[in-house]
Amino acid sequence: MTIFQFPTFADQLHDDLLMKRTTDSDYTGLGNDLEKGASVNEVPKTASMRVFLQPRWVSAIDHMRCARFRLLVLSLLLLPSTVSLAQPYQGPIIDAHGHLGASFNWEIMVEAMDRNNVTHRTVMARYYPGPEGSRDLPGSDEDALRLAERYPAKFFPLVGMQQPLLTGPHKWRSPDHEVERLIEETERKLASGRFFGVGEFIVRHWAYSRGSHAEQENPIYSTFMQRMSAIATRFDVPMVVHMEGYPALVDDFSKLLSEYPKARFVWAHNCGRSKSPVIRGMLTRHPNLFCDLANMTNVGTTGYGIGWPRREEFTALIEQGGVLFPDMKALYEEFPDCFMLGMDVAHAPGNNPQIYSQRVNRFRQLLGQLKPETARKLAEANAIPIFKLSSNSTR
Ligand SMILES: [Zn+2]
């Protein structure tokens, strides 16, 4: 889940992440080109030469810095023209990562979807209180059901797992009576046939606001997740998981995926913002694993796609300036059936057509860089079988 964003280009330029991004080795293209300038190591290193060459050396470094800056500016100027070469994806889109709170205005949700040719949206009730208090009240599965009833075949509720009662790793290891009740309720709700999955399980989450549920560190390989995986298998529904890709957690997730091969898992945010080799490894080993690209567009001043609210050694972005990084693009072509899109509006203040359109439009631009068939699969075709979406309001 993520908060709303108000983009300003100036803010992005001020952000030192931008410079970091262009020098990280996994940011191919722009980043690599910048690294290919003359190296200080190429300057001869004998003592006499060093003395003789020092003024030139200094000026060479200055020149290099200047050249790097010019290259950066030039690259930023050239990016839009590179992007315009590919026609944006024009077809319908399924938003496979949506949330709901009691303060969400339903008409605005629908307007944002209709304006952008987004035909379906999954809805995961956010039981956590929002950072803006009374403007962003928690939601419930009952709200999600009412929304789905009001707009049939448009919204598809999942049994919500953004639950304050799940905060604390001990509750995942040995469920207390509250967690037991949640497990029982989940079974009952799935048995009604009106829910299309379970999630978002908040395993490892980086805080972007204050409060006791903001930072989460829960075990994925735990009794709670094993119980839920068995239930999801029985009802043939996917589980959506938010887990930043810490290597130890990835290993634990791998154990869970192997233990429940018939349970489908959707690892949100481009598989926990993992780097492409990690995602490739996991998708190769586990046919029951899928990824959504929820909020992975690199737009605005917040959002997972800009490396917010935190970045680590093991995290990666998927695009910059509306251009997919080549390694991610290759990954989507290699596993065209495994990825889906998501706008991930999780808080009422961010529920507006401007932010929604900005994310959808950027996804259309990115999809335009893939083979048309791959683009169509990511945009809508994959979400249908993974969530078993239908024109009925029951499964
Ligand atoms: Zn999430």
Side-chain angles (χ1 to χ4, degrees):
M1 73 167 175
T2 52
I3 202 167
F4 57 97
Q5 52 182 291
F6 295 103
T8 67
F9 188 58
D11 280 351
Q12 283 222 2
L13 283 176
H14 278 292
D15 190 344
D16 65 355
L17 280 175
L18 182 64
M19 200 51 191
K20 189 175 183 307
R21 243 174 250 157
T22 57
T23 52
D24 277 358
S25 60
D26 64 323
Y27 299 122
T28 44
L30 172 63
N32 286 348
D33 287 341
L34 284 172
E35 290 303 294
K36 281 177 192 151
S39 159
V40 177
N41 295 334
E42 288 162 17
V43 178
K45 289 199 172 61
T46 63
S48 60
M49 288 289 275
R50 196 185 302 137
V51 171
F52 178 71
L53 285 174
Q54 205 161 19
R56 277 183 61 197
W57 190 6
V58 170
S59 127
I61 292 169
D62 278 350
H63 181 76
M64 201 174 70
R65 280 191 187 135
C66 190
R68 280 169 64 110
F69 179 71
R70 272 200 221 115
L71 261 172
L72 175 66
V73 172
L74 193 65
S75 307
L76 287 171
L77 290 173
L78 286 174
L79 279 173
S81 60
T82 316
V83 171
S84 66
L85 293 174
Q87 175 82 1
Y89 170 80
Q90 305 284 346
I93 283 177
I94 291 178
D95 180 351
H97 191 121
H99 295 281
L100 189 70
S103 307
F104 277 55
N105 180 313
W106 294 1
E107 280 75 28
I108 290 175
M109 291 172 83
V110 171
E111 187 199 330
M113 289 168 71
D114 290 349
R115 200 191 271 193
N116 288 288
N117 196 15
V118 174
T119 54
H120 306 61
R121 185 166 172 177
T122 61
V123 196
M124 299 180 277
R126 196 202 74 235
Y127 282 79
Y128 299 135
E132 298 205 22
S134 59
R135 290 183 64 214
D136 192 18
L137 295 171
S140 69
D141 291 344
E142 290 66 35
D143 291 340
L145 283 179
R146 277 193 290 276
L147 175 68
E149 262 166 36
R150 172 84 175 75
Y151 302 98
K154 203 173 188 82
F155 293 101
F156 295 85
L158 273 60
V159 182
M161 286 296 139
Q162 289 161 280
Q163 298 265 4
L165 66 88
L166 283 173
T167 298
H170 56 284
K171 297 188 173 200
W172 295 52
R173 291 202 185 93
S174 46
D176 59 13
H177 71 277
E178 271 189 328
V179 177
E180 284 295 346
R181 205 176 58 216
L182 177 67
I183 295 170
E184 281 163 28
E185 274 175 15
T186 302
E187 281 187 278
R188 187 171 47 75
K189 286 173 181 173
L190 288 174
S192 76
R194 300 169 80 196
F195 290 87
F196 293 77
V198 191
E200 183 177 8
F201 289 92
I202 308 296
V203 175
R204 189 68 177 88
H205 185 267
W206 290 332
Y208 54 74
S209 60
R210 291 163 192 271
S212 50
H213 313 294
E215 182 83 14
Q216 295 270 352
E217 195 167 356
N218 300 310
I220 184 130
Y221 191 75
S222 53
T223 304
F224 173 62
M225 289 303 278
Q226 287 167 313
R227 299 265 302 273
M228 285 299 198
S229 303
I231 292 168
T233 302
R234 186 144 55 85
F235 289 101
D236 193 20
V237 291
M239 296 165 72
V240 180
V241 174
H242 180 120
M243 187 187 88
E244 303 292 349
Y246 285 84
L249 284 174
V250 176
D251 291 345
D252 284 351
F253 195 8
S254 210
K255 278 204 292 191
L256 188 72
L257 283 155
S258 305
E259 210 169 288
Y260 296 90
K262 295 244 167 70
R264 296 190 296 287
F265 289 86
V266 178
W267 191 4
H269 317 300
N270 203 42
C271 286
R273 297 196 262 190
S274 299
K275 294 187 173 178
S276 55
V278 173
I279 302 174
R280 179 175 289 106
M282 289 291 277
L283 290 176
T284 304
R285 280 194 300 280
H286 306 292
N288 53 335
L289 179 64
F290 303 89
C291 298
D292 75 38
L293 303 186
N295 204 5
M296 287 304 291
T297 48
N298 193 343
V299 290
T301 53
T302 60
Y304 299 137
I306 70 165
W308 166 96
R310 218 180 286 176
R311 300 185 64 184
E312 288 290 348
E313 263 303 296
F314 52 78
T315 59
L317 308 185
I318 69 164
E319 58 114 335
Q320 185 168 343
V323 182
L324 283 171
F325 288 115
D327 61 334
M328 293 300 176
K329 183 179 168 185
L331 191 66
Y332 305 149
E333 295 291 3
E334 198 178 330
F335 299 92
D337 303 319
C338 295
F339 292 90
M340 297 171 289
L341 307 187
M343 305 315 140
D344 196 11
V345 174
H347 298 280
N351 178 38
N352 64 62
Q354 290 74 32
I355 288 173
Y356 204 80
S357 303
Q358 186 190 35
R359 292 180 186 176
V360 174
N361 287 336
R362 180 55 76 91
F363 272 128
R364 290 189 181 281
Q365 203 177 341
L366 300 174
L367 290 177
Q369 294 150 45
L370 299 171
K371 289 179 189 156
E373 184 56 15
T374 308
R376 202 186 61 78
K377 286 179 166 186
L378 267 64
E380 62 164 353
N382 291 342
I384 295 170
I386 292 169
F387 287 95
K388 294 211 181 316
L389 305 181
S390 68
S391 52
N392 301 320
S393 55
T394 53
R395 286 186 301 112

